[in-house]
Amino acid sequence: MGEATGEISIYYIIPFLGLVLSIAIIPLIKPLLHYWEKYYWIIAALWSVALLIPFSIQYSPGYMAYHLVYTVIDEYLPFVLMVGSLYVVAGGIVLEGKLPGTPLTNTLLLAVGIPLCLLLGTTGASMILIRPLLRSISHRVHDTHTVIFFIFLVSNVAGALTPNGNPPVFIGFLKGVDFFWPLANDSLVMLLTSAYLLAVYFLMDYYFFRKEQKLQGNSLLPRETSLNENIEIEKRAEDGTPKVDEISKEVNCNEKNCEDESLNKRLIRDTINRTTGEVWEVEDDATEDGNAKPSGAEESEKRKITSSMKAAKMKPSTSSPLLQNSPSLPLQNSPAIPLQNSPSPLSKFDKSQQNIPKFDPLPGNFSTVGLELTIESTMVETSNDPDLIKHITSDAEEIMHMEKQKSRWLLAERQSKNGFRLRGWRNVILILLIAVVIIVSGYIEKGFPDAGFQVMEDPLYHKEKLFVSYASLGRDLLLLAIPIISFVVTPARIYIENNFTWEPLNEVVILFINIFITLSPILIMFEEGTSGPLGFVIESVTKPWHFFWISGVMSAFLDNAPTYLLFFDSAGGDAQVLMSTKAQILAALTAGSCFFGGMTYIGNAPNMLIRNVAVQNGLNMPSFLMYIVWAVVILVPIFLIDTAIFYL
């Protein structure tokens, strides 16, 4: 945030705590979950406003504007450009091949992330490996723990050794730490922590794997398991009670063999079909089940969807690209509900009818927008019956989860039929280019620190200046250009097969701008040093294990880059001294700032992005607080071992 000027009130911590608690608690309250998913951006923005208004009153609107611009340009934009560019470019890389999803295969996939982090950093490695990993576990009943360990290892621990691995190491590099110094001094602690995580994961996954085999009675290889069997096993695993008849009835229901399927469920299913790009097949005079032939408006709707599919270089069919040749799937036999000019119960909701989404291949092959519109429209009709509304919502959530699981399972099934093949080589080159851009810009900025220009000066004290170096400006422009190039040259089919959508990135972009804004006064407090309201924290950090734990805990909730910089300066700020006489302190600071990022979803850039990608692919990821429980149980023991061996 620049130099500190005058003591700032400790009460400015409240908006940041409020935002973090909102992220952690509101999704746990089931009646509020729907509103959080729909309006989380408003809630996050309100906490930012709760900081900016009193800050501008206490100081001045100009001083508030200065710090806001400083936060956006100097801290937020580099973050979001790096994360966004890696997300888009990695979304254009597809690794095909049979991944059986056994404990050994999954453990090896996690282990591959360690050397990949050395080259591409935690965000780059995470974005490349997450989709093959999700495909590997697509047929597994117990899959959440795999993604959690992936965040622990690939998204955090493995990035502690090179400047392009994690932002704190890059900050140290800019401050004068040698490029390979972390590799030489933190390798042992990183390897020990990684070996522990891989061993614990293998044992846990082996236990779940054997449990699934006993339930299913045969191998869990994707090509030997049907979707209905997987749903049955999943339902059984939830409460230990087999529900074969109920599941079979629900999955295979249509008007010919199941008269009592609820209209609400059929409406929701039909919306999903249209959202995923289904095109109706119509006989000459009537549909196969006897319904009237669709009207001219409906034929127009069909032509629009078909045109969208042709624009994406796809062959029109009676189902989504991911649902072809799958007669066992429920939605293909679901009766079509006409969109317009029909006696459909939804026809009177003109606004909803007009806004039902058309097939859009580039944001992805599945969207929840149409489902949400159907739910809202049906709720309007039945708003006086809260029990029915609750039932409709429950049905929708269940069908939504089944659809996401189905798409991921079918994608894995199809891609496993061929040998191993990497598609999207242009994006491999582009993602390597991103790593080169970050490192080269660091060398230039380190060699020419004064090469740049001043953007603005704080209007109140005239002591702080927002300075932009030419190296950082060039880096940010390239990080903006590279994903645009990738998006233009990558065929739409690759994005579709990766189940690429903007939703995971959107949430990260929106939440983190508010996190950065509400975090800024806390950083100012620390920058005031021992005389500031948080000076007691700085004064208490003197020994290597202090640096490991205090910097680590702060990095779990605050931005790890400024946390590293804060304690780097409190340890003396001289890179040559820290690399020699205080080497143990610098090593502890580096490891703590990187390792503890895995303690929360907001601890490091890739964490929430990986979580969102997993949820978008149908996994039930733990809540913010439950994830912390996982992290405490799994990570704290090895951190205690690290402390005893390396930092006492």
Side-chain angles (χ1 to χ4, degrees):
M1 287 293 298
E3 297 180 10
T5 52
E7 184 172 322
I8 185 172
S9 173
I10 197 169
Y11 293 108
Y12 284 111
I13 293 179
I14 294 176
F16 176 75
L17 294 178
L19 177 56
V20 172
L21 290 176
S22 298
I23 297 172
I25 295 176
I26 293 179
L28 296 179
I29 305 173
K30 196 165 185 179
L32 300 180
L33 177 60
H34 174 70
Y35 296 99
W36 169 258
E37 292 174 346
K38 193 171 183 180
Y39 302 112
Y40 70 89
W41 60 277
I42 296 179
I43 298 172
L46 288 175
W47 285 114
S48 294
V49 172
L51 165 69
L52 296 175
I53 291 178
F55 192 89
S56 63
I57 293 174
Q58 180 177 352
Y59 295 95
S60 72
Y63 192 62
M64 180 274 292
Y66 166 79
H67 278 287
L68 181 60
V69 173
Y70 190 104
T71 299
V72 172
I73 293 180
D74 194 66
E75 298 171 359
Y76 176 71
L77 276 181
F79 162 83
V80 76
L81 287 174
M82 182 192 70
V83 171
S85 62
L86 289 169
Y87 178 75
V88 173
V89 175
I93 300 174
V94 175
L95 177 63
E96 292 184 345
K98 185 175 181 179
L99 297 171
T102 62
L104 181 59
T105 301
N106 296 337
T107 304
L108 290 176
L109 272 175
L110 294 182
V112 168
I114 298 175
L116 204 59
C117 281
L118 297 177
L119 180 63
L120 302 176
T122 54
T123 305
S126 298
M127 290 299 96
I128 287 180
L129 290 178
I130 183 59
R131 290 181 176 91
L133 183 69
L134 291 176
R135 191 152 46 82
S136 176
I137 62 175
S138 60
H139 59 287
R140 296 286 301 273
V141 175
H142 300 91
D143 48 15
T144 302
H145 67 287
T146 299
V147 180
I148 292 174
F149 275 85
F150 182 87
I151 295 175
F152 291 162
L153 180 60
V154 180
S155 300
N156 291 276
V157 171
L161 302 185
T162 57
N164 58 323
N166 226 335
V169 191
F170 184 71
I171 293 295
F173 172 68
L174 295 180
K175 295 289 288 185
V177 178
D178 293 342
F179 188 92
F180 293 106
W181 191 92
L183 183 63
N185 291 269
D186 279 316
S187 292
L188 290 179
V189 65
M190 191 278 291
L191 291 174
L192 175 63
T193 306
S194 299
Y196 163 86
L197 289 174
L198 290 172
V200 172
Y201 170 75
F202 178 82
L203 294 175
M204 185 180 295
D205 198 46
Y206 183 78
Y207 168 77
F208 287 134
F209 184 75
R210 295 291 296 172
K211 184 178 179 180
E212 292 164 9
Q213 283 187 318
K214 290 179 182 179
L215 284 173
Q216 191 169 349
N218 55 33
S219 173
L220 288 178
L221 295 181
R223 296 165 77 176
E224 298 176 5
T225 311
S226 71
L227 178 66
N228 291 2
E229 290 171 338
N230 273 294
I231 297 175
E232 176 186 333
I233 296 299
E234 184 174 6
K235 290 284 186 180
R236 242 189 241 171
E238 290 179 358
D239 56 8
T241 305
K243 301 178 181 179
V244 180
D245 294 337
E246 179 181 337
I247 295 163
S248 176
K249 177 181 177 181
E250 178 175 316
V251 171
N252 297 310
C253 228
N254 58 50
E255 279 192 343
K256 290 184 176 180
N257 60 18
C258 184
E259 297 291 340
D260 61 344
E261 183 184 24
S262 70
L263 177 61
N264 292 327
K265 213 177 250 193
R266 288 199 291 110
L267 293 174
I268 294 170
R269 289 179 187 274
D270 184 68
T271 301
I272 294 175
N273 282 351
R274 294 198 306 272
T275 306
T276 54
E278 178 163 297
V279 181
W280 303 333
E281 281 186 349
V282 183
E283 301 294 338
D284 289 338
D285 297 318
T287 58
E288 188 178 28
D289 58 358
N291 291 334
K293 184 176 179 179
S295 64
E298 294 153 14
E299 286 293 328
S300 176
E301 183 72 23
K302 175 178 177 179
R303 286 194 297 273
K304 289 180 181 178
I305 299 176
T306 307
S307 299
S308 298
M309 299 176 73
K310 288 181 178 179
K313 301 178 180 178
M314 298 169 56
K315 182 180 179 181
S317 66
T318 58
S319 65
S320 164
L322 291 182
L323 306 183
Q324 296 176 9
N325 303 320
S326 302
S328 64
L329 299 178
L331 294 186
Q332 291 183 336
N333 295 324
S334 178
I337 305 297
L339 285 175
Q340 299 173 1
N341 301 330
S342 72
S344 166
L346 293 184
S347 60
K348 64 179 180 178
F349 301 108
D350 295 333
K351 183 177 180 181
S352 297
Q353 293 293 334
Q354 295 169 3
N355 289 283
I356 287 179
K358 308 303 185 294
F359 179 72
D360 185 1
L362 290 185
N365 58 20
F366 187 81
S367 171
T368 64
V369 177
L371 178 57
E372 290 172 355
L373 288 171
T374 301
I375 297 172
E376 290 177 0
S377 299
T378 310
M379 283 183 176
V380 170
E381 189 176 20
T382 61
S383 58
N384 294 325
D385 190 345
D387 291 335
L388 184 55
I389 292 176
K390 182 178 179 181
H391 175 70
I392 293 171
T393 305
S394 177
D395 283 350
E397 291 175 351
E398 183 179 354
I399 295 172
M400 177 72 72
H401 180 69
M402 290 170 56
E403 282 302 296
K404 291 181 179 180
Q405 291 280 14
K406 177 178 64 179
S407 294
R408 188 162 59 96
W409 187 87
L410 287 170
L411 178 61
E413 174 79 5
R414 185 173 64 191
Q415 293 183 345
S416 66
K417 293 180 179 179
N418 302 320
F420 280 100
R421 183 175 61 151
L422 183 66
R423 295 167 57 197
W425 278 102
R426 298 168 183 168
N427 290 303
V428 174
I429 297 173
L430 290 176
I431 209 166
L432 291 174
L433 180 60
I434 291 174
V436 171
V437 166
I438 293 173
I439 295 302
V440 171
S441 67
Y443 270 110
I444 296 175
E445 190 169 354
K446 185 177 179 180
F448 304 94
D450 297 327
F453 57 94
Q454 178 179 319
V455 177
M456 63 187 302
E457 181 181 55
D458 90 83
L460 185 61
Y461 298 102
H462 304 287
K463 293 182 179 180
E464 303 178 43
K465 298 178 181 179
L466 175 55
F467 181 83
V468 176
S469 68
Y470 293 126
S472 62
L473 178 62
R475 177 198 64 211
D476 293 346
L477 290 176
L478 286 173
L479 290 181
L480 179 62
I482 290 173
I484 295 175
I485 295 172
S486 170
F487 199 77
V488 170
V489 302
T490 302
R493 170 68 64 181
I494 290 182
Y495 285 116
I496 293 173
E497 295 203 7
N498 261 341
N499 203 15
F500 179 91
T501 72
W502 295 109
E503 292 176 13
L505 184 62
N506 288 344
E507 185 174 357
V508 171
V509 169
I510 293 170
L511 286 180
F512 270 88
I513 180 60
N514 294 283
I515 289 173
F516 274 92
I517 291 173
T518 56
L519 178 62
S520 57
I522 301 177
L523 299 180
I524 295 177
M525 295 177 199
F526 278 114
E527 288 170 359
E528 291 179 352
T530 56
S531 62
L534 298 177
F536 68 94
V537 177
I538 300 175
E539 290 178 339
S540 65
V541 180
T542 57
K543 298 180 180 180
W545 69 271
H546 294 165
F547 281 89
F548 180 72
W549 281 92
I550 300 300
S551 68
V553 172
M554 288 178 57
S555 294
F557 293 94
L558 311 181
D559 188 4
N560 56 7
T563 299
Y564 176 93
L565 181 59
L566 167 71
F567 288 105
F568 186 93
D569 291 337
S570 70
D574 189 326
Q576 297 304 318
V577 174
L578 287 172
M579 287 189 295
S580 54
T581 58
K582 295 184 177 181
Q584 192 179 24
I585 288 178
L586 182 58
L589 173 60
T590 303
S593 300
C594 295
F595 289 5
F596 279 77
M599 292 292 295
T600 68
Y601 281 137
I602 62 174
N604 198 18
N607 297 4
M608 185 171 288
L609 201 55
I610 294 301
R611 179 257 179 201
N612 292 346
V613 170
V615 170
Q616 188 257 337
N617 279 272
L619 272 70
N620 291 318
M621 292 296 292
S623 65
F624 188 92
L625 291 179
M626 188 54 63
Y627 175 85
I628 294 178
V629 173
W630 271 87
V632 170
V633 172
I634 301 297
L635 292 178
V636 169
I638 187 58
F639 291 163
L640 291 172
I641 295 173
D642 292 340
T643 302
I645 295 176
F646 298 101
Y647 305 128
L648 288 181

